[in-house]
Amino acid sequence: MDSQGRHGQRVVWAVVGTGVGPLLLAATREGLVNVVFHATGEARGGALERLAARLGAEPVEEPGSPLLAEAIRQVEAYFAGRRRDFGLPLDWSLVSGFPREVLRELAAGVPFGSVVGYGDLARRVGQPGAAQAVGMAMGANPLPVVVPCHRVVESGGGIGGFGGGLETKRRLLALEGVLPEPLF
């Protein structure tokens, strides 16, 4: 497999330092396709292998790529407190069906500084009994931070789970003013 993939697919990536640690951002010609937390060593290597297998193209490190430039600017602005939402083209090819529907609703309907319960999000997509399936969709989110799964919490007031780790979720919610800033 070459860097152009089976169907001329091009995948570029870069790692960006943030307030929650290094994030790997990957993009195709369609848009941002993947955001990965804790993007060092094994985690980064594993993420790149999964991308290559799923997209049929070997990801190429290219931090100066025009495909990534705007995503990098917006992510840096978000973590610096200068941006409240993302205006990026997204490549949804890593997720489909119900999870994609839920993630699109989350991206469009849960603004900066607010949270939604798993059950509430299930109701918004017309599946009121699917709170657990919403949780699974959050765990499958290929675009965390940009598609803000950190804003989904338990209806009883609990923080819920998070693929990037609970401390990362707390930091993101603190950045958005939902939780107090951690004391460390």
Side-chain angles (χ1 to χ4, degrees):
M1 178 176 6
D2 65 15
S3 65
Q4 294 299 308
R6 291 184 285 264
H7 304 289
Q9 176 79 284
R10 178 157 166 73
V11 182
V12 294
W13 66 275
V15 173
V16 178
T18 72
V20 297
L23 293 181
L24 181 143
L25 305 180
T28 66
R29 288 183 181 98
E30 299 297 316
L32 189 65
V33 72
N34 204 200
V35 176
V36 179
F37 288 107
H38 317 297
T40 59
E42 262 184 60
R44 181 179 59 223
L48 293 171
E49 286 176 19
R50 286 187 298 279
L51 271 174
R54 296 279 311 274
L55 297 176
E58 196 66 41
V60 176
E61 184 175 17
E62 202 172 307
S65 168
L67 298 175
L68 285 171
E70 186 59 23
I72 291 169
R73 273 193 294 279
Q74 288 188 28
V75 165
E76 289 175 340
Y78 170 81
F79 281 99
R82 297 188 316 267
R83 184 170 200 92
R84 301 180 118 219
D85 56 8
F86 295 92
L88 297 169
L90 301 177
D91 179 339
W92 292 97
S93 63
L94 295 178
V95 64
S96 61
F98 181 75
R100 183 187 291 191
E101 184 181 354
V102 169
L103 291 169
R104 284 179 178 255
E105 172 59 31
L106 174 64
V110 183
F112 182 95
S114 65
V115 294
V116 65
Y118 294 94
D120 291 336
L121 194 51
R123 280 188 286 286
R124 289 185 186 195
V125 297
Q127 300 290 325
Q132 282 188 311
V134 167
M136 299 281 287
M138 295 306 103
N141 181 4
L143 296 160
V145 180
V146 175
V147 177
C149 53
H150 59 278
R151 297 180 190 155
V152 183
V153 298
E154 294 174 351
S155 59
I159 195 168
F162 193 62
L166 292 181
E167 192 52 46
T168 299
K169 186 172 187 172
R170 285 186 192 97
R171 286 179 178 263
L172 290 167
L173 291 172
L175 174 72
E176 294 189 11
V178 175
L179 292 176
E181 190 67 42
L183 299 173
F184 52 88

